[in-house]
Amino acid sequence: MGTNSPWLRRIACLLATTLLFSGCTVPSIPSSEGATDKDGATLTVYILQGFDPQETGVSSSEYLLRQAGILFEERHPGATVNVTVGIPASGGLTAEDAIRTLNAELAAGDGPDVLVLDGLPLEQLAAQDRLQDLTPLKGSLDNSTYFTNIVQAAGGPHAVPVSFSLPIVAGSATLVSQAKTASDLAALIAEDPAFADALGAGTGAQELLAAFYPLLIENGTLNQEALVSFLSSTKAVLLAASERWHTLNPESDIDTLELALQNLSRPPVGGFSSCDLFLEEGTALTLGSLSSAVDYAYLLLGEERAPQPCAHKPLAEGAAPVFTPHTLLGINAATAQPSVAEDFVTFLLSDEVQENLLGAGMGTGIPVNKSAFTELNADADGYSVGFMDEDVLGKGEGGTVEYNRGPLSAEEMTSCVRLIESATTPVVYDQVIVDALTEALRRCCYGTATVAEASEEAARVITLRLEA
């Protein structure tokens, strides 16, 4: 394969990322045996923001919920699950408008039965007694079956996550070891050519947001110093990654900055399946997320084939590693059908959904069901990723180069579980705050405001939000 041309002369980035299961279909769950008649109950499930997988190229919580709703209806004859979206994929509303409408419904004792709390003001809703206490449900999730560090920490007593992602820095062991925190790493990327030239073209903005977010809001108060550090650090990484992209792809007219900012509100996907550590020429440092049941295997694949000794560790700004819960479920305290709502939440944590839907790529994140997660990897025959390459195409050999590795060993699985269980700090976003941070970053990166000016404006919006 030619190595002198940009990005190993790949024509298209990722063609296919394939998990080689002996079988990976979604079975129909029998509804006749052991089913409970819910007397025609209609369950309404609310999610703030919808993403059309056909438009974005990725799956989403909305897609997962709709598929899980179909299976739940099969298991509970007479029940209907309706998924409603506050901000449809077509847009038209701001997060603030959608949340205001939802709050009015909840205050009137109405509203959806189940709330997906991703992007919603969880602490505010809990303080207003809008959410049912899920302590008994969460207490039944034992450590042998679930990642209890994830399910217990995320959402406190009022919510339980279906999946999660974990921000990671990976690459040259020498480079990774030199930065203890996310801001340390960003400073090195901004100041040291050895770091900037080694940085993968992927931005890492979502990972930096996850690393900094718990420090931004402390006890309901904005930490202005942390806000300035987040903006300056993320700006440095975004600009360096954008410059690297255009160096590797000089004919590209993609606005990588704007693309990164648009993606800031979306769950991270495919963190390491692009295998940049050996496929992107000169790359020795990447920021990404473990965001699926198989990402760890692709991280190892990249490290095994990289031309230098590699290491990885959680990307964090504070002392404890962070994780981002996805499809964080709460139950409306005023629902008229709490048992059906709890059945649906429990169903989303079951093997049927965690292994068969999340494992098949129908949602985002690593399953919180540890046994489903380990089973998915235990059943894998191996992992394969294919790319188009211009050199191979020119030789008339079909144009696709495939890289693969075998299944995770018992030791590798133990290391993966240990890495996951080191994460103790949940990152639960308020979408209004994320939108304010995104706009501040946009102004910083495009030079329409200094970091100080952008942080002051963002602080006004965030403070008003916290005081609402």
Side-chain angles (χ1 to χ4, degrees):
M1 179 177 294
T3 58
N4 296 323
S5 49
W7 218 349
L8 292 181
R9 300 180 66 83
R10 284 183 284 164
I11 298 174
C13 292
L14 183 61
L15 268 187
T17 301
T18 307
L19 176 60
L20 302 179
F21 284 131
S22 56
C24 193
T25 57
V26 181
S28 175
I29 297 174
S31 60
S32 57
E33 185 175 348
T36 302
D37 188 350
K38 292 299 177 181
D39 298 323
T42 297
L43 195 70
T44 302
V45 181
Y46 178 94
I47 184 168
L48 176 63
Q49 196 159 3
F51 297 113
D52 183 347
Q54 293 184 345
E55 291 183 5
T56 63
V58 302
S59 195
S60 67
S61 293
E62 179 188 358
Y63 187 50
L64 171 68
L65 290 165
R66 294 192 187 281
Q67 297 302 310
I70 292 170
L71 297 182
F72 185 81
E73 291 171 354
E74 289 184 18
R75 175 157 293 191
H76 300 92
T80 301
V81 177
N82 289 332
V83 178
T84 63
V85 180
I87 308 172
S90 57
L93 284 177
T94 66
E96 191 169 12
D97 289 339
I99 293 172
R100 186 182 298 114
T101 299
L102 175 65
N103 281 336
E105 293 177 356
L106 295 174
D110 201 353
D113 303 290
V114 176
L115 297 165
V116 177
L117 294 157
D118 304 14
L120 297 180
L122 171 59
E123 291 186 6
Q124 196 175 77
L125 291 171
Q128 295 170 346
D129 296 324
R130 306 287 188 228
L131 300 173
Q132 183 175 309
D133 189 336
L134 299 182
T135 300
L137 187 156
K138 296 182 74 165
S140 69
L141 306 176
D142 65 276
N143 185 57
S144 63
T145 307
Y146 292 88
F147 290 111
T148 51
N149 61 304
I150 303 294
V151 295
Q152 298 300 339
H158 299 101
V160 61
V162 173
S163 59
F164 63 97
S165 60
L166 187 69
I168 296 288
V169 54
S172 159
T174 300
L175 298 180
V176 169
S177 67
Q178 291 184 50
K180 291 184 178 180
T181 66
S183 56
D184 286 346
L185 182 62
L188 287 166
I189 289 170
E191 299 166 6
D192 188 341
F195 278 80
D197 293 343
L199 181 64
T203 64
Q206 293 163 310
E207 287 71 33
L208 287 167
L209 177 62
F212 276 96
Y213 198 86
L215 279 68
L216 293 175
I217 314 296
E218 297 177 326
N219 300 317
T221 303
L222 175 66
N223 183 326
Q224 185 73 32
E225 184 178 347
L227 174 60
V228 171
S229 183
F230 165 72
L231 292 177
S232 59
S233 295
T234 308
K235 175 186 176 182
V237 172
L238 282 171
L239 292 179
S242 179
E243 182 176 349
R244 179 123 168 84
W245 165 266
H246 289 291
T247 297
L248 293 169
N249 302 272
E251 297 180 2
S252 172
D253 59 358
I254 295 175
D255 187 342
T256 57
L257 285 176
E258 185 56 34
L259 186 62
L261 292 169
Q262 290 174 2
N263 286 334
L264 198 62
S265 294
R266 297 175 179 173
V269 293
F272 294 100
S273 59
S274 56
C275 297
D276 290 343
L277 286 175
F278 69 91
L279 282 175
E280 187 178 83
E281 187 174 0
T283 294
L285 186 67
T286 61
L287 307 181
S289 291
L290 298 183
S291 55
S292 79
V294 299
D295 266 347
Y296 190 72
Y298 288 111
L299 171 60
L300 296 186
L301 174 61
E303 291 181 345
E304 289 164 1
R305 291 184 172 270
Q308 65 276 320
C310 288
H312 60 266
K313 65 181 180 182
L315 180 70
E317 181 63 10
V322 301
F323 67 92
T324 303
H326 301 304
T327 319
L328 186 61
L329 301 173
I331 296 176
N332 184 350
T335 179
Q337 41 199 6
S339 64
V340 186
E342 188 166 327
D343 282 351
F344 184 70
V345 171
T346 302
F347 180 64
L348 283 160
L349 304 176
S350 67
D351 289 345
E352 290 90 339
V353 170
Q354 294 274 302
E355 186 172 344
N356 296 325
L357 294 186
L358 277 173
M362 294 187 185
T364 57
I366 298 170
V368 297
N369 185 316
K370 186 196 300 187
S371 61
F373 171 73
T374 54
E375 189 68 24
L376 282 164
N377 284 285
D379 287 348
D381 294 327
Y383 304 85
S384 176
V385 62
F387 294 88
M388 267 190 130
D389 189 271
E390 192 179 42
D391 287 344
V392 177
L393 187 65
K395 296 175 183 177
E397 298 177 5
T400 301
V401 178
E402 189 172 279
Y403 304 91
N404 54 68
R405 61 155 287 154
L408 292 177
S409 68
E411 293 77 15
E412 289 169 339
M413 178 57 72
T414 298
S415 296
C416 181
V417 170
R418 188 180 298 121
L419 178 65
I420 290 170
E421 292 182 337
S422 73
T424 56
T425 303
V427 182
V428 181
Y429 298 120
D430 182 320
Q431 190 60 48
V432 175
I433 293 175
V434 173
D435 288 346
L437 295 173
T438 301
E439 183 56 31
L441 278 173
R442 182 174 284 110
R443 297 190 66 206
C444 288
C445 290
Y446 286 103
T448 61
T450 64
V451 168
E453 292 168 342
S455 66
E456 287 179 7
E457 184 173 333
R460 285 194 292 271
V461 176
I462 294 170
T463 299
L464 285 173
R465 177 63 176 164
L466 295 173
E467 292 174 350

